Amino acid sequence: MNYSEETLMAFADGELDAALRAEIEAAIASDLQLALRVAAHKNLRERLQRAYAGELKSEPPQRLLDMLAAPSATAGAPGVQSAPGVPSAPGADSNVIALDSRRSKKAARTGTPRRWAALAASLVIGVTAGYVGFEITARAPIAAKQGVLVADAALGRSLTHSPAGEGSAAGPKIGISYRSKSGDLCRSFTESAFAGIACRDGDDWRIRMLTQRDAADASQYRAAASELPPAIRAAIDADIAGEPLDAAAEREALERGWR
Amino acid sequence: MTTNDSSAEMRAELVALLPRLRRFARNLTRNPHDADDVVQTALERALSRSSQWHSDARLDSWMFKIIRNAWIDVVRARGRHDRLFAPEEAGAAVGESSIEREADLLSVQAAMARLAEEQRVAVSLVLIEGLPYKEAADVLDIPIGTLTSRLARGREALQAMLGPEVEA
Protein backbone atom coordinates (compact mmCIF):
# COMPACT_ATOMS: atom_id res chain seq x y z
CA MET A 1 0.00 0.00 0.00
CA ASN A 2 1.24 3.42 -0.83
CA TYR A 3 0.43 6.28 1.50
CA SER A 4 1.59 9.82 0.95
CA GLU A 5 4.01 11.37 3.39
CA GLU A 6 1.31 13.85 4.39
CA THR A 7 -1.06 11.03 5.26
CA LEU A 8 1.56 9.28 7.36
CA MET A 9 2.42 12.56 9.04
CA ALA A 10 -1.23 13.15 9.88
CA PHE A 11 -1.41 9.60 11.19
CA ALA A 12 1.58 10.21 13.43
CA ASP A 13 0.00 13.45 14.65
CA GLY A 14 -3.29 11.77 15.46
CA GLU A 15 -5.14 13.82 12.87
CA LEU A 16 -6.72 11.09 10.75
CA ASP A 17 -10.31 9.97 10.98
CA ALA A 18 -10.95 6.63 12.62
CA ALA A 19 -11.38 4.62 9.43
CA LEU A 20 -8.13 5.66 7.79
CA ARG A 21 -6.33 5.42 11.10
CA ALA A 22 -7.41 1.81 11.52
CA GLU A 23 -6.42 1.03 7.98
CA ILE A 24 -2.92 2.40 8.47
CA GLU A 25 -2.53 0.71 11.81
CA ALA A 26 -3.29 -2.58 10.12
CA ALA A 27 -0.89 -1.82 7.28
CA ILE A 28 1.92 -0.92 9.68
CA ALA A 29 1.68 -4.31 11.31
CA SER A 30 2.81 -6.01 8.13
CA ASP A 31 4.95 -3.34 6.52
CA LEU A 32 8.20 -2.48 8.20
CA GLN A 33 9.02 0.37 5.83
CA LEU A 34 5.68 2.01 6.60
CA ALA A 35 6.26 1.56 10.31
CA LEU A 36 9.66 3.22 10.03
CA ARG A 37 8.26 6.20 8.14
CA VAL A 38 5.60 6.73 10.78
CA ALA A 39 8.17 6.30 13.52
CA ALA A 40 10.35 8.97 11.90
CA HIS A 41 7.47 11.45 12.05
CA LYS A 42 6.74 10.66 15.66
CA ASN A 43 10.38 10.80 16.53
CA LEU A 44 10.83 14.21 14.97
CA ARG A 45 7.91 15.54 16.95
CA GLU A 46 9.33 14.18 20.19
CA ARG A 47 12.75 15.50 19.34
CA LEU A 48 11.40 18.99 18.76
CA GLN A 49 9.42 18.89 21.97
CA ARG A 50 12.46 17.82 23.93
CA ALA A 51 14.61 20.46 22.31
CA TYR A 52 12.16 23.21 23.17
CA ALA A 53 10.91 22.03 26.57
CA GLY A 54 13.69 23.93 28.31
CA GLU A 55 12.44 27.25 27.00
CA LEU A 56 9.34 26.94 29.11
CA LYS A 57 11.52 27.23 32.18
CA SER A 58 13.06 30.54 31.28
CA GLU A 59 11.81 33.28 33.52
CA PRO A 60 9.48 35.79 31.85
CA PRO A 61 10.72 39.37 32.11
CA GLN A 62 9.18 41.40 34.88
CA ARG A 63 7.54 43.83 32.48
CA LEU A 64 5.39 41.04 31.07
CA LEU A 65 4.48 39.67 34.49
CA ASP A 66 3.60 43.16 35.66
CA MET A 67 1.18 43.61 32.79
CA LEU A 68 -0.73 40.56 33.90
CA ALA A 69 -0.50 41.16 37.63
CA ALA A 70 -1.64 44.76 37.69
CA PRO A 71 -5.27 45.23 38.64
CA SER A 72 -7.37 45.82 35.58
CA ALA A 73 -8.26 49.43 34.85
CA THR A 74 -11.87 48.35 34.91
CA ALA A 75 -11.55 46.69 38.32
CA GLY A 76 -14.43 47.20 40.70
CA ALA A 77 -14.47 48.71 44.13
CA PRO A 78 -11.26 50.32 45.30
CA GLY A 79 -9.68 48.41 48.10
CA VAL A 80 -10.35 45.08 46.49
CA GLN A 81 -7.32 43.47 45.00
CA SER A 82 -7.89 40.37 43.05
CA ALA A 83 -5.16 38.28 41.61
CA PRO A 84 -5.80 36.61 38.28
CA GLY A 85 -8.17 33.73 38.39
CA VAL A 86 -10.15 34.62 41.43
CA PRO A 87 -13.18 36.73 40.67
CA SER A 88 -13.44 40.03 42.44
CA ALA A 89 -16.08 39.88 45.07
CA PRO A 90 -19.01 42.08 44.12
CA GLY A 91 -19.44 44.91 46.55
CA ALA A 92 -16.65 43.74 48.76
CA ASP A 93 -15.41 46.60 50.82
CA SER A 94 -12.61 45.13 52.83
CA ASN A 95 -9.00 44.80 51.86
CA VAL A 96 -8.77 41.55 50.05
CA ILE A 97 -5.89 39.83 48.43
CA ALA A 98 -6.84 36.85 46.41
CA LEU A 99 -3.96 34.55 45.76
CA ASP A 100 -2.93 31.55 43.99
CA SER A 101 -5.48 30.66 41.42
CA ARG A 102 -5.34 27.09 40.35
CA ARG A 103 -3.51 27.96 37.18
CA SER A 104 -0.92 30.16 38.74
CA LYS A 105 -0.27 27.39 41.21
CA LYS A 106 1.49 25.43 38.52
CA ALA A 107 3.72 28.37 37.79
CA ALA A 108 4.37 29.06 41.44
CA ARG A 109 5.28 25.47 42.11
CA THR A 110 8.25 25.65 39.85
CA GLY A 111 9.23 28.09 42.57
CA THR A 112 12.07 30.40 41.83
CA PRO A 113 13.01 33.42 43.86
CA ARG A 114 11.97 35.67 41.01
CA ARG A 115 8.53 34.17 40.84
CA TRP A 116 8.19 34.81 44.51
CA ALA A 117 9.42 38.33 43.98
CA ALA A 118 6.80 38.79 41.28
CA LEU A 119 4.11 37.56 43.62
CA ALA A 120 5.33 39.83 46.36
CA ALA A 121 5.45 42.74 43.95
CA SER A 122 1.89 42.13 42.88
CA LEU A 123 0.87 42.06 46.52
CA VAL A 124 2.53 45.39 47.13
CA ILE A 125 0.97 46.89 44.03
CA GLY A 126 -2.41 45.70 45.18
CA VAL A 127 -1.83 47.03 48.64
CA THR A 128 -0.81 50.49 47.59
CA ALA A 129 -3.71 50.62 45.16
CA GLY A 130 -6.11 50.13 48.02
CA TYR A 131 -7.34 53.16 49.91
CA VAL A 132 -6.92 51.60 53.31
CA GLY A 133 -3.46 50.65 54.37
CA PHE A 134 -2.97 46.94 54.46
CA GLU A 135 0.12 45.87 56.24
CA ILE A 136 1.49 42.45 55.63
CA THR A 137 2.98 42.01 59.03
CA ALA A 138 4.53 39.15 60.85
CA ARG A 139 1.19 38.76 62.55
CA ALA A 140 -0.51 37.59 59.39
CA PRO A 141 -0.77 33.80 59.76
CA ILE A 142 1.10 33.09 56.59
CA ALA A 143 4.51 31.95 55.49
CA ALA A 144 6.27 31.71 52.18
CA LYS A 145 7.37 28.30 51.09
CA GLN A 146 9.15 27.87 47.77
CA GLY A 147 7.43 30.87 46.32
CA VAL A 148 3.96 29.92 47.52
CA LEU A 149 2.07 31.52 50.37
CA VAL A 150 1.02 28.90 52.86
CA ALA A 151 -0.56 28.88 56.29
CA ASP A 152 1.98 29.29 59.05
CA ALA A 153 2.50 26.52 61.57
CA ALA A 154 -0.23 27.56 64.02
CA LEU A 155 -2.85 28.19 61.36
CA GLY A 156 -1.82 25.00 59.58
CA ARG A 157 -2.41 22.99 62.74
CA SER A 158 -5.88 24.46 63.15
CA LEU A 159 -6.75 23.85 59.52
CA THR A 160 -5.61 20.26 59.76
CA HIS A 161 -7.03 19.36 63.15
CA SER A 162 -9.91 21.66 64.10
CA PRO A 163 -13.52 20.99 63.18
CA ALA A 164 -15.44 23.95 61.81
CA GLY A 165 -16.51 26.46 64.42
CA GLU A 166 -13.77 25.42 66.79
CA GLY A 167 -10.40 26.76 67.68
CA SER A 168 -8.89 28.36 70.69
CA ALA A 169 -10.26 31.72 71.73
CA ALA A 170 -7.16 33.60 70.70
CA GLY A 171 -6.09 31.40 67.80
CA PRO A 172 -7.44 30.64 64.36
CA LYS A 173 -11.07 29.67 63.89
CA ILE A 174 -12.30 27.53 61.04
CA GLY A 175 -15.40 28.49 59.06
CA ILE A 176 -16.50 26.48 56.07
CA SER A 177 -14.88 23.38 54.62
CA TYR A 178 -15.50 22.66 50.96
CA ARG A 179 -14.15 21.05 47.85
CA SER A 180 -13.14 23.53 45.18
CA LYS A 181 -13.94 23.27 41.51
CA SER A 182 -10.32 22.33 40.94
CA GLY A 183 -10.73 19.42 43.36
CA ASP A 184 -8.82 20.86 46.30
CA LEU A 185 -10.07 20.65 49.84
CA CYS A 186 -10.36 24.17 51.20
CA ARG A 187 -11.33 25.79 54.47
CA SER A 188 -12.09 29.34 55.40
CA PHE A 189 -10.51 30.70 58.54
CA THR A 190 -10.28 33.76 60.70
CA GLU A 191 -7.31 34.66 62.77
CA SER A 192 -7.08 37.91 64.74
CA ALA A 193 -7.32 40.66 62.14
CA PHE A 194 -7.37 38.33 59.16
CA ALA A 195 -9.81 36.10 57.39
CA GLY A 196 -9.09 33.91 54.41
CA ILE A 197 -9.29 30.68 52.53
CA ALA A 198 -6.65 27.99 52.51
CA CYS A 199 -6.54 24.85 50.39
CA ARG A 200 -4.71 21.63 51.09
CA ASP A 201 -1.62 21.07 48.99
CA GLY A 202 0.44 18.11 50.08
CA ASP A 203 1.52 18.81 53.64
CA ASP A 204 0.73 22.50 53.36
CA TRP A 205 -2.29 24.72 53.30
CA ARG A 206 -1.97 27.13 50.44
CA ILE A 207 -3.44 30.53 51.08
CA ARG A 208 -5.97 31.09 48.35
CA MET A 209 -7.30 34.35 49.71
CA LEU A 210 -6.48 36.65 52.55
CA THR A 211 -8.44 39.62 53.78
CA GLN A 212 -8.00 41.99 56.65
CA ARG A 213 -11.00 42.49 58.84
CA ASP A 214 -11.46 45.91 60.31
CA ALA A 215 -11.39 46.22 64.07
CA ALA A 216 -15.14 46.54 64.54
CA ASP A 217 -15.70 43.51 62.41
CA ALA A 218 -13.13 41.52 64.27
CA SER A 219 -14.50 42.31 67.69
CA GLN A 220 -18.02 41.23 66.85
CA TYR A 221 -16.89 38.41 64.64
CA ARG A 222 -17.95 34.89 65.43
CA ALA A 223 -16.89 31.85 63.55
CA ALA A 224 -20.33 31.14 62.11
CA ALA A 225 -20.25 30.85 58.36
CA SER A 226 -22.89 33.51 57.96
CA GLU A 227 -20.50 36.02 59.45
CA LEU A 228 -17.65 35.43 57.08
CA PRO A 229 -16.58 38.65 55.40
CA PRO A 230 -18.57 39.18 52.21
CA ALA A 231 -15.48 38.95 50.02
CA ILE A 232 -14.65 35.53 51.42
CA ARG A 233 -18.21 34.33 51.03
CA ALA A 234 -18.25 35.51 47.43
CA ALA A 235 -14.96 33.80 46.71
CA ILE A 236 -16.23 30.54 48.18
CA ASP A 237 -19.41 30.84 46.13
CA ALA A 238 -17.30 31.22 43.01
CA ASP A 239 -14.90 28.44 43.92
CA ILE A 240 -17.02 25.76 45.53
CA ALA A 241 -18.01 22.55 43.76
CA GLY A 242 -21.42 21.62 45.12
CA GLU A 243 -22.15 22.12 48.79
CA PRO A 244 -19.87 22.68 51.76
CA LEU A 245 -18.75 19.52 53.55
CA ASP A 246 -21.27 18.46 56.15
CA ALA A 247 -20.22 17.41 59.63
CA ALA A 248 -19.72 13.76 58.67
CA ALA A 249 -17.69 14.57 55.55
CA GLU A 250 -15.62 17.03 57.50
CA ARG A 251 -14.92 14.48 60.21
CA GLU A 252 -13.83 12.02 57.58
CA ALA A 253 -11.54 14.61 55.98
CA LEU A 254 -10.05 15.40 59.39
CA GLU A 255 -9.32 11.75 59.97
CA ARG A 256 -7.67 11.40 56.59
CA GLY A 257 -5.56 14.50 57.21
CA TRP A 258 -7.29 16.30 54.32
CA ARG A 259 -5.74 14.05 51.72
CA MET B 1 -18.94 41.90 37.12
CA THR B 2 -18.96 39.68 34.09
CA THR B 3 -16.31 41.82 32.45
CA ASN B 4 -14.13 41.75 35.55
CA ASP B 5 -14.52 38.03 35.85
CA SER B 6 -13.55 37.31 32.29
CA SER B 7 -10.67 39.75 32.48
CA ALA B 8 -9.37 38.24 35.71
CA GLU B 9 -9.79 34.74 34.33
CA MET B 10 -7.95 35.73 31.19
CA ARG B 11 -5.06 37.28 33.12
CA ALA B 12 -4.65 34.06 35.07
CA GLU B 13 -4.69 32.01 31.90
CA LEU B 14 -2.18 34.35 30.30
CA VAL B 15 0.22 34.02 33.23
CA ALA B 16 0.10 30.27 32.78
CA LEU B 17 0.50 30.58 29.01
CA LEU B 18 3.30 33.11 29.11
CA PRO B 19 6.15 30.61 28.73
CA ARG B 20 4.53 29.10 25.64
CA LEU B 21 3.72 32.50 24.19
CA ARG B 22 7.34 33.52 24.55
CA ARG B 23 8.55 30.27 23.06
CA PHE B 24 6.29 30.63 20.06
CA ALA B 25 7.34 34.25 19.61
CA ARG B 26 11.01 33.25 19.70
CA ASN B 27 10.45 30.67 17.00
CA LEU B 28 8.50 33.22 15.03
CA THR B 29 10.96 36.11 15.28
CA ARG B 30 14.18 34.14 15.81
CA ASN B 31 15.25 36.85 18.21
CA PRO B 32 14.56 36.82 21.96
CA HIS B 33 14.30 40.60 22.24
CA ASP B 34 11.90 40.91 19.35
CA ALA B 35 10.00 37.98 20.82
CA ASP B 36 9.37 39.63 24.17
CA ASP B 37 8.49 42.93 22.50
CA VAL B 38 5.97 41.18 20.33
CA VAL B 39 4.54 39.27 23.29
CA GLN B 40 4.19 42.55 25.15
CA THR B 41 2.32 44.13 22.26
CA ALA B 42 0.13 41.06 21.98
CA LEU B 43 -0.67 41.08 25.71
CA GLU B 44 -1.67 44.73 25.47
CA ARG B 45 -3.95 43.98 22.57
CA ALA B 46 -5.40 40.91 24.24
CA LEU B 47 -6.13 42.71 27.50
CA SER B 48 -7.78 45.59 25.67
CA ARG B 49 -9.93 43.13 23.75
CA SER B 50 -10.60 40.70 26.56
CA SER B 51 -14.32 40.95 25.89
CA GLN B 52 -13.72 39.33 22.50
CA TRP B 53 -12.40 36.21 24.08
CA HIS B 54 -14.83 33.58 25.34
CA SER B 55 -13.60 31.16 27.88
CA ASP B 56 -14.71 28.19 25.83
CA ALA B 57 -12.36 29.21 23.01
CA ARG B 58 -8.72 28.26 23.07
CA LEU B 59 -6.80 31.15 24.50
CA ASP B 60 -3.49 29.81 23.24
CA SER B 61 -4.64 29.83 19.61
CA TRP B 62 -6.11 33.29 20.01
CA MET B 63 -2.88 34.60 21.51
CA PHE B 64 -0.68 32.92 18.89
CA LYS B 65 -2.70 34.68 16.24
CA ILE B 66 -2.40 38.05 17.95
CA ILE B 67 1.35 37.49 18.35
CA ARG B 68 1.74 36.60 14.72
CA ASN B 69 -0.22 39.66 13.59
CA ALA B 70 1.85 41.87 15.88
CA TRP B 71 4.99 40.44 14.34
CA ILE B 72 3.69 41.05 10.82
CA ASP B 73 3.17 44.69 11.81
CA VAL B 74 6.75 44.91 13.06
CA VAL B 75 8.17 43.30 9.93
CA ARG B 76 6.18 45.62 7.69
CA ALA B 77 7.31 48.66 9.62
CA ARG B 78 10.92 47.51 9.43
CA GLY B 79 10.56 46.73 5.77
CA ARG B 80 9.62 50.32 5.13
CA HIS B 81 12.45 51.47 7.35
CA ASP B 82 14.96 49.18 5.67
CA ARG B 83 13.95 50.27 2.22
CA LEU B 84 14.51 53.85 3.24
CA PHE B 85 17.70 53.48 5.22
CA ALA B 86 19.46 50.20 4.57
CA PRO B 87 18.70 48.95 1.09
CA GLU B 88 21.87 46.91 0.73
CA GLU B 89 21.67 44.84 3.86
CA ALA B 90 18.64 42.82 3.01
CA GLY B 91 19.35 39.28 2.05
CA ALA B 92 22.64 38.98 3.85
CA ALA B 93 21.35 36.09 5.90
CA VAL B 94 19.50 34.43 3.08
CA GLY B 95 20.74 31.21 1.65
CA GLU B 96 22.71 28.54 3.39
CA SER B 97 25.77 26.79 2.20
CA SER B 98 25.39 23.14 1.42
CA ILE B 99 28.99 22.64 2.48
CA GLU B 100 28.11 23.80 5.93
CA ARG B 101 25.16 21.45 6.03
CA GLU B 102 27.28 18.51 5.05
CA ALA B 103 30.03 19.30 7.46
CA ASP B 104 27.98 18.95 10.54
CA LEU B 105 24.51 17.96 11.49
CA LEU B 106 22.69 20.83 13.06
CA SER B 107 21.14 21.22 16.45
CA VAL B 108 17.38 21.18 16.46
CA GLN B 109 17.27 24.92 17.10
CA ALA B 110 19.74 25.73 14.36
CA ALA B 111 17.80 23.59 11.93
CA MET B 112 14.55 25.30 12.89
CA ALA B 113 16.13 28.70 12.38
CA ARG B 114 16.97 27.74 8.80
CA LEU B 115 13.50 26.67 7.83
CA ALA B 116 11.51 28.95 5.58
CA GLU B 117 9.35 31.10 7.79
CA GLU B 118 6.01 29.61 6.75
CA GLN B 119 7.30 26.11 7.44
CA ARG B 120 8.92 27.12 10.69
CA VAL B 121 5.72 28.66 11.99
CA ALA B 122 3.65 25.63 11.00
CA VAL B 123 6.13 23.27 12.69
CA SER B 124 6.23 25.50 15.73
CA LEU B 125 2.46 25.62 16.17
CA VAL B 126 1.78 21.93 15.58
CA LEU B 127 4.86 20.03 16.68
CA ILE B 128 6.13 22.27 19.47
CA GLU B 129 3.03 24.02 20.76
CA GLY B 130 0.85 21.02 20.07
CA LEU B 131 -2.05 22.66 18.26
CA PRO B 132 -4.35 20.47 16.19
CA TYR B 133 -4.08 21.13 12.45
CA LYS B 134 -7.39 22.95 12.40
CA GLU B 135 -6.35 25.36 15.16
CA ALA B 136 -2.97 26.01 13.56
CA ALA B 137 -4.61 26.70 10.20
CA ASP B 138 -6.96 29.17 11.88
CA VAL B 139 -4.05 30.93 13.57
CA LEU B 140 -2.40 31.40 10.20
CA ASP B 141 -5.61 32.13 8.29
CA ILE B 142 -4.84 29.43 5.76
CA PRO B 143 -6.74 26.36 4.56
CA ILE B 144 -5.92 23.16 6.37
CA GLY B 145 -4.45 21.67 3.19
CA THR B 146 -1.95 24.51 2.99
CA LEU B 147 -1.06 23.97 6.62
CA THR B 148 -0.42 20.25 6.16
CA SER B 149 1.70 20.85 3.08
CA ARG B 150 3.85 23.43 4.89
CA LEU B 151 4.13 21.09 7.82
CA ALA B 152 5.16 18.17 5.61
CA ARG B 153 7.80 20.24 3.80
CA GLY B 154 9.08 21.63 7.09
CA ARG B 155 9.41 18.17 8.52
CA GLU B 156 11.20 16.89 5.49
CA ALA B 157 13.67 19.76 5.61
CA LEU B 158 14.26 19.24 9.32
CA GLN B 159 14.88 15.53 8.85
CA ALA B 160 17.38 16.31 6.13
CA MET B 161 19.24 18.79 8.31
CA LEU B 162 19.10 16.77 11.50
CA GLY B 163 19.64 13.27 10.28
CA PRO B 164 18.62 10.31 12.40
CA GLU B 165 18.70 10.88 16.09
CA VAL B 166 21.73 9.46 17.81
CA GLU B 167 20.89 7.82 21.07
CA ALA B 168 22.89 9.34 23.87
Side-chain angles (χ1 to χ4, degrees):
Chain A
M1 241 164 296
N2 206 0
Y3 294 103
S4 74
E5 215 53 42
E6 279 190 32
T7 303
L8 294 182
M9 169 188 95
F11 174 79
D13 289 341
E15 292 273 351
L16 291 184
D17 61 52
L20 191 48
R21 192 170 63 233
E23 184 187 315
I24 293 181
E25 272 166 9
I28 283 175
S30 60
D31 185 339
L32 179 62
Q33 285 308 315
L34 200 59
L36 289 174
R37 284 161 71 197
V38 167
H41 283 301
K42 287 189 174 168
N43 178 264
L44 181 63
R45 183 184 192 116
E46 285 159 14
R47 200 168 169 184
L48 282 163
Q49 297 210 330
R50 274 199 307 278
Y52 282 93
E55 286 199 21
L56 295 182
K57 294 186 191 123
S58 93
E59 197 62 35
Q62 197 59 45
R63 63 185 160 122
L64 298 183
L65 292 171
D66 286 347
M67 288 178 70
L68 298 172
S72 144
T74 58
V80 177
Q81 296 92 40
S82 188
V86 178
S88 308
D93 55 3
S94 55
N95 279 320
V96 176
I97 296 178
L99 299 166
D100 193 29
S101 72
R102 183 167 67 86
R103 292 186 183 90
S104 62
K105 177 171 82 184
K106 266 185 242 149
R109 269 217 189 111
T110 62
T112 66
R114 281 201 52 192
R115 277 223 165 78
W116 167 237
L119 176 57
S122 72
L123 279 176
V124 172
I125 289 162
V127 167
T128 52
Y131 60 82
V132 182
F134 184 122
E135 290 178 59
I136 306 275
T137 67
R139 292 184 297 110
I142 58 177
K145 187 171 174 185
Q146 293 174 337
V148 180
L149 279 189
V150 298
D152 67 12
L155 176 58
R157 274 194 299 278
S158 293
L159 288 164
T160 306
H161 301 298
S162 299
E166 287 190 20
S168 60
K173 286 192 192 340
I174 307 302
I176 293 172
S177 306
Y178 68 95
R179 193 171 281 280
S180 76
K181 285 175 181 160
S182 48
D184 299 322
L185 281 166
C186 303
R187 312 190 84 189
S188 68
F189 63 87
T190 60
E191 203 270 344
S192 64
F194 297 92
I197 302 169
C199 299
R200 191 64 157 167
D201 182 9
D203 291 323
D204 297 315
W205 287 92
R206 263 181 306 110
I207 302 295
R208 177 158 294 187
M209 189 172 207
L210 186 66
T211 172
Q212 188 173 40
R213 298 184 292 151
D214 62 43
D217 240 19
S219 66
Q220 56 181 239
Y221 187 82
R222 297 294 178 268
S226 62
E227 294 176 51
L228 279 172
I232 300 286
R233 278 209 308 276
I236 293 175
D237 284 345
D239 194 36
I240 193 169
E243 298 293 315
L245 301 189
D246 61 23
E250 188 191 65
R251 200 161 47 242
E252 196 197 335
L254 279 166
E255 282 163 9
R256 281 186 289 111
W258 302 90
R259 306 281 171 180
Chain B
M1 179 62 196
T2 311
T3 306
N4 285 351
D5 268 4
S6 65
S7 166
E9 187 186 346
M10 194 169 91
R11 281 168 190 273
E13 299 239 10
L14 287 173
V15 169
L17 274 181
L18 199 47
R20 288 180 63 217
L21 301 181
R22 296 179 71 224
R23 180 169 69 176
F24 172 67
R26 264 174 273 156
N27 275 325
L28 180 69
T29 64
R30 292 185 288 183
N31 176 314
H33 301 293
D34 284 343
D36 280 339
D37 286 350
V38 164
V39 169
Q40 181 166 355
T41 304
L43 289 177
E44 281 162 9
R45 291 182 187 175
L47 290 171
S48 72
R49 298 178 207 159
S50 60
S51 59
Q52 292 176 16
W53 175 65
H54 304 288
S55 51
D56 52 342
R58 284 185 69 135
L59 186 61
D60 56 355
S61 300
W62 193 62
M63 286 305 302
F64 290 146
K65 188 166 193 165
I66 296 176
I67 287 171
R68 179 171 170 272
N69 289 339
W71 176 238
I72 288 172
D73 292 346
V74 170
V75 170
R76 281 192 187 137
R78 282 190 192 158
R80 278 195 294 278
H81 182 276
D82 289 350
R83 278 197 299 280
L84 287 173
F85 299 104
E88 299 308 319
E89 284 181 26
V94 175
E96 68 213 60
S97 108
S98 56
I99 295 163
E100 191 179 344
R101 269 194 294 175
E102 277 171 17
D104 205 359
L105 288 174
L106 298 168
S107 76
V108 173
Q109 279 85 353
M112 274 289 282
R114 284 166 192 237
L115 281 190
E117 174 169 328
E118 58 179 35
Q119 294 172 16
R120 190 176 67 247
V121 173
V123 167
S124 177
L125 287 173
V126 174
L127 297 183
I128 299 174
E129 302 307 333
L131 294 196
Y133 291 180
K134 175 76 174 62
E135 294 278 339
D138 286 349
V139 168
L140 301 174
D141 278 325
I142 54 177
I144 200 160
T146 309
L147 185 272
T148 52
S149 110
R150 289 180 185 179
L151 190 58
R153 278 182 284 131
R155 272 173 139 129
E156 193 184 348
L158 284 174
Q159 287 285 20
M161 285 188 272
L162 292 169
E165 188 168 31
V166 180
E167 293 294 329

